[in-house]
Amino acid sequence: MDSNISRKPLWTIPWGFSEGFIIAFGLLLVSFGLEIIFPFSNVSKPHFPNSLYFLIGFGIFIFLTSFFFRSNSIVKWLSSVNSAIPAITYFVFVVLLIGIIPQSNHHSHLGIFSSLLNSWVFFFSFIFLLLTLGFATISRLFPISWKNFVFFLNHFGLWFCLAAGFFGAPDKQEAVMIVNRGDLVWYGNNDKGIKVELPIAIELLDFTAEFYQPKLAILSDEIFTSNNEYDLSSSPEVLIDNIIVQVEKYLPKAFFVDSAFINASGVPFSSHAVYVKVFNKNYLLITKGWLSTPSKVSNAHHINLPDGRNLKLLPPEPKYFGSSIKVYSKVSESVKVARVEVNKPFIIDGWWVYQHSYDNLAGNESSYSGFRVVKDPWMYAVYFGFVLMIIGVSLLLFTQSFKTK
């Protein structure tokens, strides 16, 4: 290669990767500065139907600019890989920051870094990405061909997915409702902890929870548990680190009286309890006593080992929990009875009702059930974008398969 060949000066048409990364870095600096002076959270976000107008207007702007100014150098650059790579890199960098730094809707010592998703930093990176993706998509509309059609479906589906999710975000409503047994609740707390009235009400008819057996563990600077499965009711010998725990008695429902636990079947707010003997690996007795999980009416019981560590009975993990509810809607003036379980929401008038929480200490006797209610009218638009991408990918695979044959 001739060493006398000089590199193309910056900002000389046509632009390349260098100009793209400089623009991306400039946008990053500007967005941080703007976020300090005028936070993005203070900007009023458009709601439907204005959000729809913004999306349509943004799409029309890209289409008309790309169509009527396709010979323009900047439009050509925005349609090329020379802008796409910097835009993707810029956006991925911001997303990585969001993933690495704990995000919160409330004030944090991390400042603007704690709410990047609702900042000019994310906004600028996202718009830059949408512009490059949009111009690249429109640039392949003509000439009309099968290859260009498949490319358009894939890229327009992705663009529509991202754009619908972004412009529709302000229209998403979400709240957590805490409903006591027998109560009828019309309100919930949004992500900022503010109580809001909702167009649906929930009455809790019943709550049910099932749990796995609790596990034995040694706690110190780290947690030690057994590598083997065991059934507490079968009086197992459990090897945990360097000790052997012999389970003498297991009470899935127990109540502490005087210095021991008694069977408390049918008694609310009871706890799990085991009576154990602890041996070293040579089967020399170290200690013995009761272990229990915490409950609404009693603290957990543990055993202090001679080496300073604690032998504990960990709280049982939930196997299943769900609620029978009656849902009232102001919009449709309907009343429906449903069973809401984890990963099995109930839908009414566009509202998705998810099982969210319960009183962990009370377990199956929890007096309340928590529900997360979500309404996202743009969700089906996002799904439409996914469908276009799936069709595009399917056609691409079909085309490649046909060529191979």
Side-chain angles (χ1 to χ4, degrees):
M1 183 179 291
D2 190 353
S3 59
N4 294 323
I5 296 177
S6 60
R7 299 179 62 184
K8 180 177 72 69
L10 283 173
W11 309 114
T12 301
I13 300 298
W15 291 352
F17 288 116
S18 299
E19 288 83 359
F21 282 107
I22 291 173
I23 290 173
F25 184 69
L27 288 173
L28 182 64
L29 292 180
V30 170
S31 63
F32 271 115
L34 190 58
E35 187 64 26
I36 295 172
I37 299 171
F38 185 61
F40 187 72
S41 57
N42 294 340
V43 178
S44 178
K45 313 299 189 300
H47 292 270
F48 187 85
N50 292 331
S51 53
L52 178 61
Y53 301 153
F54 270 94
L55 173 58
I56 294 174
F58 188 65
I60 291 175
F61 164 77
I62 292 176
F63 177 80
L64 294 179
T65 304
S66 182
F67 186 78
F68 289 106
F69 298 94
R70 54 183 175 271
S71 59
N72 182 274
S73 300
I74 296 179
V75 172
K76 284 184 176 180
W77 177 77
L78 284 170
S79 307
S80 71
V81 69
N82 292 328
S83 68
I85 297 300
I88 293 172
T89 303
Y90 176 23
F91 179 72
V92 169
F93 173 72
V94 174
V95 171
L96 285 175
L97 288 180
I98 293 173
I100 294 171
I101 302 172
Q103 301 294 295
S104 172
N105 293 312
H106 308 287
H107 294 291
S108 168
H109 67 281
L110 296 173
I112 62 176
F113 289 99
S114 65
S115 56
L116 287 173
L117 197 59
N118 188 28
S119 70
W120 291 108
V121 179
F122 181 79
F123 176 80
F124 278 29
S125 68
F126 201 89
I127 292 299
F128 189 21
L129 180 66
L130 283 183
L131 281 173
T132 57
L133 181 59
F135 278 110
T137 302
I138 300 301
S139 69
R140 292 289 292 272
L141 264 179
F142 303 102
I144 297 176
S145 67
W146 178 256
K147 184 177 180 180
N148 283 348
F149 175 69
V150 173
F151 179 93
F152 175 80
L153 277 182
N154 278 313
H155 288 71
F156 179 70
L158 177 59
W159 184 90
F160 194 81
C161 244
L162 295 172
F166 181 76
F167 286 98
D171 293 315
K172 184 178 180 179
Q173 302 175 66
E174 185 172 353
V176 173
M177 304 175 70
I178 303 298
V179 186
N180 291 314
R181 291 177 187 259
D183 282 358
L184 180 66
V185 177
W186 287 94
Y187 56 85
N189 293 325
N190 62 18
D191 57 354
K192 296 181 179 178
I194 300 174
K195 183 180 289 187
V196 292
E197 186 175 341
L198 298 166
I200 62 171
I202 296 178
E203 180 182 356
L204 179 60
L205 304 177
D206 183 48
F207 172 79
T208 305
E210 298 175 5
F211 298 87
Y212 293 102
Q213 283 188 355
K215 297 293 183 181
L216 294 162
I218 298 175
L219 276 66
S220 56
D221 293 333
E222 56 182 313
I223 300 177
F224 296 91
T225 57
S226 175
N227 294 324
N228 300 320
E229 293 294 325
Y230 52 88
D231 181 4
L232 292 175
S233 60
S234 64
S235 301
E237 287 186 357
V238 184
L239 176 63
I240 307 175
D241 193 29
N242 61 344
I243 67 170
I244 299 171
V245 181
Q246 172 66 60
V247 178
E248 298 285 320
K249 192 174 185 179
Y250 170 53
L251 299 175
K253 281 186 169 292
F255 201 84
F256 190 71
V257 178
D258 294 329
S259 59
F261 281 88
I262 62 172
N263 188 9
S265 297
V267 178
F269 307 129
S270 56
S271 60
H272 295 259
V274 291
Y275 185 78
V276 299
K277 290 181 179 179
V278 183
F279 303 87
N280 63 19
K281 287 190 174 181
N282 295 321
Y283 276 91
L284 294 176
L285 182 64
I286 298 174
T287 185
K288 59 185 177 179
W290 284 98
L291 301 172
S292 74
T293 58
S295 73
K296 291 283 286 185
V297 295
S298 64
N299 296 323
H301 284 68
H302 63 272
I303 294 176
N304 295 320
L305 300 175
D307 58 10
R309 299 183 299 176
N310 293 321
L311 178 62
K312 292 191 174 184
L313 192 63
L314 299 178
E317 296 181 358
K319 182 190 303 184
Y320 164 87
F321 60 96
S323 304
S324 293
I325 59 174
K326 186 180 289 186
V327 186
Y328 301 78
S329 172
K330 290 182 180 179
V331 177
S332 60
E333 297 183 348
S334 61
V335 180
K336 295 185 179 180
V337 176
R339 182 73 183 174
V340 180
E341 303 172 357
V342 177
N343 298 325
K344 289 186 179 180
F346 172 68
I347 307 171
I348 181 171
D349 297 338
W351 285 91
W352 293 59
V353 182
Y354 296 87
Q355 179 70 59
H356 180 263
S357 61
Y358 62 94
D359 188 338
N360 294 333
L361 288 177
N364 195 49
E365 285 87 21
S366 176
S367 62
Y368 69 85
S369 188
F371 303 96
R372 184 167 63 92
V373 294
V374 181
K375 184 175 185 180
D376 187 358
W378 288 78
M379 179 175 58
Y380 296 104
V382 174
Y383 287 165
F384 174 72
F386 273 117
V387 170
L388 291 182
M389 283 193 291
I390 292 171
I391 294 174
V393 170
S394 300
L395 292 176
L396 180 62
L397 293 175
F398 173 78
T399 302
Q400 294 297 328
S401 175
F402 183 77
K403 285 182 178 179
T404 302
K405 292 180 180 180

